[in-house]
Amino acid sequence: MNSFEMKSWVVDGPARWRVQRGHLSDSDEPILVIDDFSEQPDAWVKFAATRPFRKLAPYYPGVRSEVSQDYLKLHLPPLLPLVADVFGCSAGVRPTECFFSMVTDRPETLAPLQRMPHIDGGGDDKLALLHYLCHENQGGTAFYRHRSSGRSRIPAAEFGAYETALERDVAAHGLPVAAYPRGSSELFEKTGACPAAYNRAVIYRGINLHAIDIPADFDFDPRPGHGRLTINTFLLPA
């Protein structure tokens, strides 16, 4: 972990969870990191290898496949006390999406919006639960601040002003080159990153500006067990 002030403890979950709780480095926005998230991570990798992957979302830079409902039944119930404590979802959460995901799109194919940090649409309280079933060399998740507006989180009420400021930036500096975001740029400042680790889960609000943080030598391998396999779940307050 870097650029986060984290507190650690151990709790009982489907496995013996090692939990870190902290805040994104430039705000009071919480982040929750859980290592040893699944009791049988290898089984989920093997299951992913049997699934058909395809393009399911226009802006996700890769392919996806639906995850068995058993995944949610196993992992959501023990999460509820943590999510209530850290994110204030005292009535619980409900999943809206749950997919195996693999980054497979090469930099030269990226659309302009894919070359910049983004937020997850769907509500200010929407949580992203990202479960890494890959290793640190496959890259993690980075968080950013938009330089000209000073915003690192973009709630719905501020999105129009942010979009206008970003359009001015692009007019002044041009579009980012065809590459994944990697570090600070003229438009965005990287404020921190959560590295991938096998069987690690990270939870944060989707309104925080973030991006896939992959290394320069990333190989875009499309095979579960070899490439950047994650399970991406989105949650809304119940």
Side-chain angles (χ1 to χ4, degrees):
M1 195 74 52
N2 64 12
S3 301
F4 303 123
E5 293 184 3
M6 307 295 289
K7 295 181 179 179
S8 301
W9 71 98
V10 177
V11 299
D12 289 321
R16 186 76 169 160
W17 285 351
R18 291 184 295 121
V19 179
Q20 298 178 79
R21 172 183 176 174
H23 293 89
L24 299 179
S25 57
D26 67 332
S27 72
D28 60 357
E29 273 292 312
I31 182 170
L32 186 63
V33 179
I34 306 172
D35 287 304
D36 304 320
F37 185 63
S38 177
E39 281 188 322
Q40 296 182 311
D42 294 353
W44 291 109
V45 175
K46 291 177 181 177
F47 178 62
T50 70
R51 302 290 298 158
F53 280 76
R54 63 190 187 280
K55 279 283 185 183
L56 289 176
Y59 291 114
Y60 183 76
V63 291
R64 286 179 159 170
S65 182
E66 291 187 1
V67 179
S68 164
Q69 286 296 309
D70 290 341
Y71 177 84
L72 294 172
K73 291 176 183 177
L74 281 171
H75 297 95
L76 277 191
L79 264 182
L80 295 181
L82 288 174
V83 170
D85 182 41
V86 175
F87 296 99
C89 302
S90 56
V93 291
R94 57 181 177 87
T96 60
E97 299 175 49
C98 187
F99 294 105
F100 288 116
S101 302
M102 297 201 70
V103 175
T104 56
D105 291 0
R106 295 189 174 274
E108 61 270 18
T109 70
L110 296 178
L113 286 177
Q114 293 174 303
R115 307 172 197 171
M116 295 182 275
H118 65 279
I119 62 170
D120 302 320
D124 292 356
D125 293 324
K126 185 176 182 179
L127 300 179
L129 164 60
L130 183 61
H131 182 192
Y132 295 106
L133 292 172
C134 59
H135 296 279
E136 187 170 352
N137 63 351
Q138 298 289 349
T141 302
F143 297 89
Y144 289 86
R145 180 192 297 111
H146 179 231
R147 290 187 185 275
S148 66
S149 69
R151 292 179 170 91
S152 57
R153 58 194 298 275
I154 317 291
E158 298 178 12
F159 185 80
Y162 165 73
E163 193 172 39
T164 298
L166 186 58
E167 288 172 355
R168 286 198 299 264
D169 292 343
V170 169
H173 301 288
L175 286 170
V177 297
Y180 285 87
R182 187 172 296 119
S184 298
S185 67
E186 291 179 312
L187 275 60
F188 295 93
E189 177 189 358
K190 183 178 178 180
T191 59
C194 178
Y198 188 66
N199 203 25
R200 167 178 287 172
V202 56
I203 307 173
Y204 53 89
R205 285 195 180 94
I207 59 172
N208 293 291
L209 281 167
H210 61 280
I212 295 167
D213 195 28
I214 59 174
D217 59 353
F218 188 77
D219 63 5
F220 301 95
D221 194 318
R223 298 171 297 166
H226 299 271
R228 190 183 188 273
L229 176 66
T230 58
I231 298 179
N232 298 44
T233 306
F234 293 102
L235 306 168
L236 284 173

